[in-house]
Each structure stands twice: as structure tokens, then as C-alpha cells.
Amino acid sequence: PFMKPSRKVAVVIDILMVVILPILMSYNLVGKATHIYLGLTMVLLFIIHHIINRRWLKNMAKGRYTPLRGVSTLINLLLTGVMFAMPVSGLIMDGQIVPALHITGSAATARLVHLPVAYWGFVLLSLHLGFQWNRLHGSLKSVFNVTVPPAVSRFLRAAACLISLYGVRAFIKRDLWSYMSLTVQFAAFNKKEPLLYFFADYIAMMILFASIGFLAATFLQKAGAKRSTRPRP
């Protein structure tokens, strides 16, 4: 089926953001400069993503808010705030990387902001992916013109469940909550650890939170449908 060029660009942008996200979380393992430039690339992609989907912004104050729409909008707004705070705090911490932007401020305060919002951004973006999975899946099918057989679909769902279980273990092992809650103020990295192990853990956690988002969206959609069909007194 025909797809507008903007939708194709949107799919490519979504794929790039998913690929960049776990690399961003590696920080010291890939180098500070690489981390900063990839972070700026992520922000640029995020802005383009919103320009392409600007109709969502125009319609925010219109229509009825179902449970699904309400939670999805809350995640999107929180993610937008995080995606603004991450580059600003990051550039204040390391202003010498892109001196032309002339962003100044307290590096110590910026670090206390950057650490939790980076990990919250990881979780929120993964949840957003799950909430938008049906739309993204439909776009991918249109772009690549591929129909997934039911048997393959069942296998992928089972694999996602198993990987999500490993993602729970990785979340605990990597102690992400301590960074998200700022209980720990410095992110710890084992520089001797192979990048493959690091990315395996973070990809598993992405799949975990994307699966949570997908299941939550499915539940909220069904709850909203039952509510709309319930007879009024």
C-alpha cells in the first residue's frame, strides 16, 4: 500500500532512535565525545519526529481523553521534558565539546539533573515504544511490505517474554533504580566489560519496558472500550 514519504521518514527516525538509545547509555564505554554527539543526534531526531507528528500536538486539547490516551499523553509529555533536560544538562557539564552553543551553568547541579533524567529517558522512551507498537508495526509492514506468519509472530512474542524476564534481572543487576531516584549520584561502569554484554542487558531492558508499555496500552484500550459500551444510568 502507498505510504506518504513523511511516514517513511518517521519509520527510519524511529528505528534510528531505538538503535542509538542503548549506545547512549554506555557513556564512558564509547567515549565522552561520542556520547555527546549521539545525544545531540537523538534530540534532533526527536524534534523531527515531533514535527512529522505535529498533528498530535495540534489535537492535544481536542476530543475525549480515554484511559489509553491519557496515559500515553502523560508519557509523551514526560518524555518531552526529559529530552529537553538531557541535552541542556549534558552541555553544561561538558560545554567545551560544543562551545559554539555557549550554554553555561553549574556543572555539579547539571550532573545531578543529567544522571536521573538520562535513565528516566531510557525507561520512558522504551515505554513509549510499547504504547506506539501497533502503529509502528503497521508502518513497518507498509514500508517493507512484509507479512509476519502467525507462527513467527507467536515465536517473537514468546522470545519477548523470555528476554523481558532477563531484562528484570538486568534492571536489578545494573541497579538502574538507584540512578533514577538519585540514591546513587555517580553511574558506575566496568571498563573491562565487553560492550556486547552491556548492550545485551540494555536491549533486554528496552524490550522489558516496551513489553510493559504494550501490555498496558492493550489493557487500557480494552478498559476504555468497556467503559464506552457500558450503559449510562
Side-chain angles (χ1 to χ4, degrees), residues 154-169:
R154 287 194 293 270
F155 170 78
L156 292 175
R157 288 184 182 183
C161 289
L162 291 174
I163 295 171
S164 294
L165 289 175
Y166 178 79
V168 174
R169 178 182 180 276

Side-chain angles (χ1 to χ4, degrees), residues 127-170:
L127 286 171
H128 174 75
L129 177 64
F131 266 79
Q132 300 298 321
W133 177 250
N134 286 330
R135 181 190 63 79
L136 180 60
H137 182 244
S139 299
L140 286 169
K141 285 174 65 177
S142 299
V143 170
F144 296 106
N145 196 25
V146 174
T147 301
V148 179
V152 176
S153 180
R154 287 194 293 270
F155 170 78
L156 292 175
R157 288 184 182 183
C161 289
L162 291 174
I163 295 171
S164 294
L165 289 175
Y166 178 79
V168 174
R169 178 182 180 276

Side-chain angles (χ1 to χ4, degrees), residues 30-39 97:
V30 296
K32 184 183 292 186
T34 300
H35 174 81
I36 291 175
Y37 285 117
L38 277 178
I97 297 293

